[in-house]
Amino acid sequence: MTVIYSGHVQGVGVRYTARTVVTGFEITGTVRNLPDGRVELIAEGLRDELDAFRTALHDAGLAGFIRDEQVDWADVKNEFRGFEIIR
């Protein structure tokens, strides 16, 4: 799953919140700021886990900062070992 968040999403802890929230899920991937002010989240796992993770991010206080959330689904590639913030 790739999610592109837009709104006031940089400088408000989106990446760090994602890194903290993911510990409760069996998900691997990355999160990073994009040069245009959006945040990109790439995550692999079971669909139910990914949906629950997205909900948990909103519930962790990020909903007020996210104006739009573009979600794209793809087959799992098993390319991640854990979950990390890319700077």
Side-chain angles (χ1 to χ4, degrees), residues 13-27:
V14 171
R15 293 177 303 155
Y16 297 101
T17 301
R19 179 67 184 104
T20 300
V21 171
V22 79
T23 59
F25 298 92
E26 292 185 31
I27 292 174

Side-chain angles (χ1 to χ4, degrees), residues 7-81:
H8 182 66
V9 292
Q10 289 190 12
V12 296
V14 171
R15 293 177 303 155
Y16 297 101
T17 301
R19 179 67 184 104
T20 300
V21 171
V22 79
T23 59
F25 298 92
E26 292 185 31
I27 292 174
T28 60
T30 61
V31 62
R32 68 181 177 130
N33 287 341
L34 297 175
D36 63 5
R38 299 177 301 161
V39 171
E40 176 189 59
L41 171 81
I42 301 173
E44 292 188 344
L46 297 175
R47 178 81 181 241
D48 290 347
E49 284 280 299
L50 295 169
D51 285 334
F53 176 55
R54 284 180 42 228
T55 299
L57 284 175
H58 282 267
D59 293 346
L62 297 180
F65 299 108
I66 299 170
R67 183 184 70 236
D68 187 47
E69 178 181 22
Q70 178 186 4
V71 182
D72 292 314
W73 298 94
D75 292 332
V76 174
K77 297 177 184 173
N78 293 314
E79 61 184 318
F80 305 108
R81 290 193 166 183

